[in-house]
Amino acid sequence: MSFEDLLGSWDGEELVARFDESAHAWMLIGVHSTVLGPAMGGTRLKPYPSLDDAVRDVLRLAGAMTLKNALAGIPYGGGKAVLAVPDVPGGEARDALMARYGDLVGALGGTYVTACDMNTAPSDMDVVASRTPHVLGRTDTAGGSGSSAPDTAVGVFHAIRAVCRHLFGTDDLAGRNVAIQGVGAVGAPLADLAAEAGATVTVADVDLARAQEVAAHTDGRAVPAEEILGVTCDVLAPCATGGVLNVETIPLLACRGVAGAANNQLGVGADAERLRARGIVYAPDYAANAGGVIHLAGHETLGWDDAQVAARLAGIDATVSEILRTAERDGVTTARAAADLATARIDAGRCAS
Ligand code: NAI
């Protein structure tokens, strides 16, 4: 697809591109929608094969943030940034790049609010924050709200309960089997929550020792990473990486439902239909993993206390339930139902403004 076709087929508001001479990097900011509030989404730092690939990524990711933030019920639109670098920098060069990037975010005057994403950390957001206030996810010491991962886990836990209620008529997890792919910052606390609720937990991680450690203190079991998708279970929770639900893996799944934290779990859009055809109830990733943005926005800009954040995290259950019911009633995929629900909320916001 040509650059012109790429931009022409995008339904977003604004793409900002700045070439950073010092780092030989493209800074791209996709402002997809500001209907519900400032466009908010993280900054991805990575080398891309070409500028076209970087543009394609930022446009796609920005659009996904509009849907995620709308479903999360926070007053933010969707945006995303990509820093397309020749190599991921470290040390002073990295800080200098982040400072210049902070200037670009600042130049947008609050249209776009940034945060962490792939290869960017709270320490990078501290540097960005030295140049602009339009940033979430700084370190605790710099006034940020700390890791969003535990709240993301709580949100996924609520999504798992919604999936179970839909499948079995009860959200009691006692005796249910939950399989978790990836027990990092989100997957490990999720394993704890599931075990505390009485579920039997099966975990896997490419770091086998980490999986064994989590299995040990949740009274669960660890399996090799390549086996987790085929584990017989009630709910599979992908909490590692994207693209795990695809034409090759979907036939192998032995779960009744899927609800996890990983972004972009579907390999391609058609995989939602493949899951539906197999009778697997899929909680769309951006609905299930909204705890991260709820944590950041709630604590850092909306002034919510812990109880208010907890109530919003619990609201993920209601959102996922509504998506699952609508999909069943209308005979569509849950991905379709989620996108329609988000779009309806954005349209309602447009009418109200
Ligand atoms: P993390 O990097 O702390 O944990 C990921 C874990 O998955 C690591 O332990 C890694 O070894 C393991 N892993 C990687 N590939 C694997 C594979 N093929 N099989 C099994 N294990 C594998 O990341 P974190 O923060 O726990 O996030 C997990 C996922 O959730 C990521 O896709 C992230 O983008 C997404 N997410 C995270 C949020 C957060 O607040 N941390 C918010 C929303 C989404």
Side-chain angles (χ1 to χ4, degrees), residues 50-128:
S50 70
L51 178 58
D52 276 11
D53 290 299
V55 170
R56 190 175 295 111
D57 214 22
V58 79
L59 299 184
R60 178 181 66 87
L61 293 165
M65 286 308 299
T66 299
L67 300 178
K68 180 189 281 208
N69 291 338
L71 284 191
I74 52 176
Y76 282 96
K80 202 87 177 185
V82 154
L83 301 181
V85 285
D87 298 292
V88 175
E92 282 178 18
R94 184 183 181 108
D95 286 352
L97 174 66
M98 287 297 161
R100 294 191 298 274
Y101 169 61
D103 289 338
L104 179 61
V105 173
L108 300 188
T111 302
Y112 170 65
V113 176
T114 197
C116 300
D117 193 70
M118 189 183 289
N119 291 335
T120 55
S123 54
D124 295 312
M125 295 308 118
D126 289 353
V127 180
V128 173

Side-chain angles (χ1 to χ4, degrees), residues 68 148-149 152 181-186 204-206 210 225 239-240 261-263 289:
K68 180 189 281 208
S148 59
T152 301
Q181 181 190 42
V183 281
V186 177
D205 199 292
V206 287
R210 183 181 294 171
C239 295
N263 285 310
N289 70 15

Side-chain angles (χ1 to χ4, degrees), residues 158-167 257-259 280-284 287 316-335 337-338 341:
H158 287 299
I160 290 174
R161 288 168 57 110
V163 166
C164 285
R165 191 179 324 101
H166 189 81
L167 281 166
V258 176
I280 295 172
V281 172
Y282 168 59
I316 289 174
D317 181 329
T319 302
V320 171
S321 294
E322 183 176 350
I323 290 165
L324 302 185
R325 276 197 311 270
T326 305
E328 189 174 64
R329 184 195 66 205
D330 297 348
V332 298
T333 65
T334 55
L341 177 60

Side-chain angles (χ1 to χ4, degrees), residues 125-222:
M125 295 308 118
D126 289 353
V127 180
V128 173
S130 70
R131 309 299 265 256
T132 175
H134 306 299
V135 53
L136 301 174
R138 289 163 295 154
T139 58
D140 286 326
T141 42
S145 57
S147 170
S148 59
D151 277 348
T152 301
V154 171
V156 173
F157 177 70
H158 287 299
I160 290 174
R161 288 168 57 110
V163 166
C164 285
R165 191 179 324 101
H166 189 81
L167 281 166
F168 310 116
T170 169
D171 57 17
D172 185 356
L173 295 193
R176 299 271 167 233
N177 296 289
V178 175
I180 304 176
Q181 181 190 42
V183 281
V186 177
L190 176 63
D192 287 337
L193 290 166
E196 281 161 20
T200 302
V201 172
T202 305
V203 296
D205 199 292
V206 287
D207 181 342
L208 185 58
R210 183 181 294 171
Q212 285 168 337
E213 193 185 313
V214 171
H217 74 82
T218 54
D219 268 342
R221 74 184 172 113

